[in-house]
Amino acid sequence: MIILFSLTVYIYMLQPQFGSLPKGKRLELIKKSEHYIDGRFRNIIEKPTISPGYDQWNELWKTIAEDHPRREPATALPSIKTNLKTISKEADIIIWFGHSSFFLQLDGVKILVDPVFSDSASPLPNSVRAYKGTNIYTAGDMPDIDYMLLSHDHYDHLDYETAKALQPKVKKVICGLGAGAHYEHWGYSEKQLIETDWANETLINKSFSIYSESTHHESGRTFKSGQSQWLSFVIKSNDMTIYYSGDGGYTDRFKYIARKFPNINWAIVECGQYDKAWQSVHLLPNEVAQATLDLKAENLLPVHHSKFTLANHPWDEPLNEITKLSKDKDYHLATPKIGEVIRLKDKQQVFEQWWLKL
């Protein structure tokens, strides 16, 4: 029976959505990274993924056996279908697609971040399904993309079906060392891929750069974790600086980012799918607010919520909590609907608390 089960798992994991582990020249390049130690990438300060006083199997059992009310919305979430292909090249905008997927146009450069347009954030059938109303965008709705950014290769950030469909539209992918193995496995050419480590700059033009920076998280699509680097990003034009946190628990890195990149206009920070049991790798709402203050950001766009259930908190708790925590703070909170256009330089734009109407 054990042999049959093992064989079934092996055959199932040959499916393309599991991606590929780095090997050959890619693996040799990875081994030169100071962050790759003893066969895997490491965080700057090592912490256990499960917080002290918590047990991984006990937390799993509580998720399965205990009642956690309102983990999913009872009705479809409101969303707006914006035509991205007709947006003026002069418009500096963000459009959020739910969870951590968003489109950014700045100085005419089109950037797509962590796109997940399929109906699931899991390789297992009928699991981690997208909420009703949240999956109105497809790869076909995207314009040609100059740069597609990947923070890390977990399924809720790197989706096989989406990546495969986008390949003809994407000029360049910027991802962590090792993650290019997935894209090549799915048909991307070597010329499309820019694999990078922490504290590296990708020069777009003389007044526009994308910087890859650290976060405190993890990676992996199979049983072998830590084989590709996890990233945050700073996107800097001549007159605007945008920070995207990727996933990761609270550390002093936000203060470091603020010193390295003063005058951050927008902080796009994960806020959702958290738990005190895994606080080291995901921010709690009060830590999202503190990170934004550490960054000295003018605006906060919270992401990583309102599309998939990956934790036990109520689905709308992240929005309720960050709204309360952001009251009277030095930054402006943006809470758009999925598909709503955020005008990056419009300081008067107002966002309604749409989730309270459901």
Side-chain angles (χ1 to χ4, degrees):
M1 183 63 70
I2 294 176
I3 294 174
L4 179 60
F5 175 76
S6 300
L7 181 61
T8 301
V9 170
Y10 172 77
I11 293 172
Y12 184 75
M13 293 185 68
L14 293 176
Q15 295 182 87
Q17 69 258 34
F18 291 99
S20 179
L21 294 174
K23 53 184 178 292
K25 292 181 180 180
R26 178 173 281 112
L27 183 57
E28 292 306 310
L29 180 62
I30 285 171
K31 290 179 179 179
K32 294 178 182 179
S33 170
E34 62 180 301
H35 309 296
Y36 188 84
I37 302 169
D38 295 332
R40 55 161 295 144
F41 284 100
R42 306 281 174 173
N43 286 301
I44 294 173
I45 299 174
E46 287 295 297
K47 301 177 185 178
T49 298
I50 299 299
S51 305
Y54 292 87
D55 177 77
Q56 180 176 359
W57 297 110
N58 186 48
E59 293 304 311
L60 179 61
W61 174 250
K62 286 196 297 184
T63 298
I64 297 172
E66 296 183 5
D67 182 37
H68 302 280
R70 302 186 61 254
R71 291 181 73 208
E72 297 185 6
T75 60
L77 300 193
S79 55
I80 299 170
K81 192 65 179 286
T82 298
N83 189 339
L84 278 71
K85 297 177 182 179
T86 61
I87 292 172
S88 168
K89 292 183 179 179
E90 284 70 44
D92 295 323
I93 57 100
I94 288 175
I95 296 175
W96 172 64
F97 302 120
H99 204 64
S100 292
S101 305
F102 61 94
F103 171 82
L104 164 67
Q105 181 174 276
L106 183 61
D107 284 6
V109 180
K110 293 179 172 61
I111 297 171
L112 185 61
V113 181
D114 287 357
V116 177
F117 297 138
S118 69
D119 198 40
S120 174
S122 169
L124 301 178
N126 300 313
S127 62
V128 194
R129 310 297 294 183
Y131 302 157
K132 293 180 180 179
T134 67
N135 217 30
I136 65 170
Y137 287 90
T138 68
D141 295 319
M142 299 299 109
D144 289 340
I145 300 299
D146 296 307
Y147 292 88
M148 186 163 70
L149 310 187
L150 175 70
S151 63
H152 64 294
D153 69 357
H154 286 162
Y155 291 94
D156 57 322
H157 293 257
L158 176 58
D159 175 58
Y160 162 68
E161 292 180 7
T162 302
K164 186 76 175 173
L166 284 169
Q167 186 272 331
K169 295 188 172 191
V170 174
K171 294 179 182 177
K172 296 286 185 181
V173 174
I174 302 178
C175 60
L177 291 173
H182 301 309
Y183 289 102
E184 279 199 5
H185 189 59
W186 299 334
Y188 283 67
S189 69
E190 185 178 345
K191 292 181 179 180
Q192 285 180 281
L193 305 176
I194 300 172
E195 294 180 70
T196 183
D197 207 343
W198 295 339
N200 282 346
E201 176 186 7
T202 300
L203 184 65
I204 309 306
N205 58 51
K206 63 181 181 180
S207 62
F208 200 116
S209 289
I210 299 175
Y211 298 85
S212 57
E213 296 293 339
S214 72
T215 181
H216 185 101
H217 200 55
E218 182 57 274
S219 67
R221 297 174 73 84
T222 62
F223 299 119
K224 192 172 185 179
S225 61
Q227 300 307 298
S228 63
Q229 184 62 285
W230 43 96
L231 306 174
S232 63
F233 291 99
V234 175
I235 302 161
K236 195 174 189 311
S237 71
N238 189 48
D239 63 351
M240 181 158 286
T241 302
I242 299 171
Y243 172 72
Y244 169 50
S245 69
D247 284 5
Y250 183 81
T251 68
D252 284 344
R253 72 182 180 280
F254 300 110
K255 296 176 182 178
Y256 165 80
I257 291 291
R259 291 193 298 269
K260 186 174 180 180
F261 302 96
N263 305 315
I264 293 174
N265 303 101
W266 282 85
I268 304 169
V269 182
E270 66 142 335
C271 181
Q273 320 318 317
Y274 50 76
D275 195 295
K276 288 185 177 180
W278 55 81
Q279 187 175 354
S280 73
V281 291
H282 284 290
L283 297 170
L284 301 179
N286 64 298
E287 294 172 325
V288 176
Q290 185 59 55
T292 308
L293 294 173
D294 290 352
L295 291 162
K296 300 180 181 179
E298 295 177 3
N299 302 277
L300 167 63
L301 171 61
V303 296
H304 211 249
H305 61 83
S306 301
K307 186 166 184 176
F308 303 113
T309 294
L310 296 166
N312 293 330
H313 59 69
W315 76 270
D316 55 355
E317 182 181 282
L319 286 166
N320 287 325
E321 289 299 307
I322 197 58
T323 299
K324 287 189 295 184
L325 290 161
S326 298
K327 188 177 181 181
D328 299 324
K329 293 293 192 297
D330 291 336
Y331 59 83
H332 172 243
L333 176 66
T335 56
K337 300 183 184 75
I338 288 173
E340 184 175 358
V341 176
I342 302 172
R343 299 183 296 274
L344 292 174
K345 296 179 180 178
D346 183 356
K347 296 183 179 180
Q348 306 304 316
Q349 187 172 7
V350 176
F351 301 92
E352 65 175 306
Q353 296 180 18
W354 53 266
W355 60 96
L356 298 179
K357 299 179 180 180
L358 302 183

